[in-house]
Amino acid sequence: MTRIRIAARRNLPTLAKTGSYYVIHICVAALVAYAVTGNLIASLTLSLLEPTVQAVAFFFHEKAWERLLARSTTAQECTSSNAPVVSADTRSTTALALKA
């Protein structure tokens, strides 16, 4: 149970976003399913099943994007930190050597 609490605390913003998305999705799905079927029980069943699966998929989708962005940021930092530093003195000396 402790691992679940730690994971929940670590991912709180993503879980909150997933929860709000879930509620909105259920409401929209219920309205659409009722409009199509005209059956309240069928619309409630469909509106709970499909958004639940979507909410789980959305959570993992968000986590994958966070990892992708973190890797991209890390790669950019590594690239910029590995660039050679050229001082003004070196540039002027190189320019003089090229002119001669």
Side-chain angles (χ1 to χ4, degrees), residues 3 11 15 17 19 33 38 53 63 72 74 78-79 84 94-95 98:
R3 293 177 76 184
N11 296 298
L15 288 171
K17 187 176 178 181
V53 173
K63 298 310 292 177
S72 176
T74 303
C78 288
T79 304
T94 304
L98 290 174

Side-chain angles (χ1 to χ4, degrees), residues 17-98:
K17 187 176 178 181
T18 302
S20 67
Y21 174 79
Y22 179 72
V23 170
I24 290 171
H25 198 134
I26 285 177
C27 294
V28 171
L31 290 173
V32 170
Y34 184 74
V36 170
T37 64
N39 183 336
L40 184 61
I41 300 299
S43 66
L44 291 175
T45 302
L46 290 172
S47 69
L48 290 173
L49 177 64
E50 191 270 340
T52 300
V53 173
Q54 286 288 349
V56 172
F58 179 77
F59 175 80
F60 290 109
H61 176 262
E62 285 290 306
K63 298 310 292 177
W65 272 100
E66 285 177 13
R67 277 197 201 114
L68 181 68
L69 292 174
R71 281 188 201 154
S72 176
T73 303
T74 303
Q76 287 176 352
E77 289 172 357
C78 288
T79 304
S80 63
S81 67
N82 290 337
V85 177
V86 179
S87 67
D89 294 336
T90 306
R91 283 191 299 250
S92 61
T93 306
T94 304
L96 290 174
L98 290 174

